[in-house]
Amino acid sequence: MASKRLTKTCPHCRKVYETRTVSAWGRQPTAEDCWVFGMPLKSCPNCHRLFIDRDVQELALTPPRRQDTAPVGGSTLRVAALGAVLGAVLYAGGQPVPAMVAGGAAVLSVVADLALYPYRMKKLEAERAASRKRLSDPAYARALKDAGYAVPEEYLKPIS
């Protein structure tokens, strides 16, 4: 599993404001793997100046990635496949109990992802609503537009 450690610094004072790890199974993490949904306008905890974090996208402006809406994630499928293969090898080697444990873990990982799917979709919808609410402020929408985000005109007009 390839992973990349992101250390984010304030463009004004150069102090670290966020550190996180981005992982991608079987490949190098891409720029798309690095961004998250949320509010791109940040305030530095050190110097308190505002800046735009390019690794944060507004859900109302950016469509969700396929991995965000998939009922079963890619990493879960890989773990399930590994558990199934391990179970088959153990069973063929005359170890039925460990084989059943490995196979059961494979099935449970997929079932857990499927069971959590409605929760993940609710969370995504809540973020979309929060994003629309943030963008309803024309000053915020204009700041994002000035920073290069593709903001539709409906968000740039003042509400009367």
Side-chain angles (χ1 to χ4, degrees):
M1 174 171 82
S3 63
K4 178 180 183 180
R5 184 181 177 106
L6 290 179
T7 302
K8 312 294 291 287
T9 57
C10 171
H12 305 292
C13 68
R14 304 284 184 239
K15 295 283 185 181
V16 174
Y17 69 90
E18 179 184 0
T19 302
R20 62 186 165 94
T21 302
V22 177
S23 301
W25 280 73
R27 62 182 173 77
Q28 288 297 318
T30 63
E32 188 175 285
D33 295 322
C34 295
W35 58 262
V36 295
F37 289 118
M39 184 175 170
L41 187 63
K42 303 279 185 185
S43 174
C44 176
N46 184 55
C47 69
H48 305 290
R49 292 177 67 186
L50 293 175
F51 61 94
I52 299 287
D53 183 346
R54 291 278 174 199
D55 289 334
V56 180
Q57 300 291 323
E58 281 288 0
L59 186 53
L61 303 177
T62 306
R65 300 164 286 201
R66 197 171 50 189
Q67 67 203 36
D68 297 325
T69 58
V72 178
S75 58
T76 300
L77 289 175
R78 287 179 186 91
V79 167
L82 183 64
V85 168
L86 180 62
V89 168
L90 287 169
Y91 188 78
Q95 300 289 326
V97 173
M100 288 192 308
V101 170
V107 170
L108 282 176
S109 66
V110 172
V111 169
D113 232 15
L114 286 170
L116 290 173
Y117 180 71
Y119 169 76
R120 290 194 324 263
M121 291 302 100
K122 249 186 228 180
K123 195 172 167 185
L124 200 61
E125 264 319 300
E127 177 56 38
R128 180 176 280 120
S131 178
R132 287 183 181 138
K133 184 176 180 181
R134 287 190 296 266
L135 283 165
S136 68
D137 177 3
Y140 174 68
R142 175 62 53 196
L144 291 184
K145 176 92 170 162
D146 293 344
Y149 285 80
V151 179
E153 285 298 317
E154 68 185 84
Y155 293 118
L156 298 171
K157 296 177 183 170
I159 299 171
S160 48

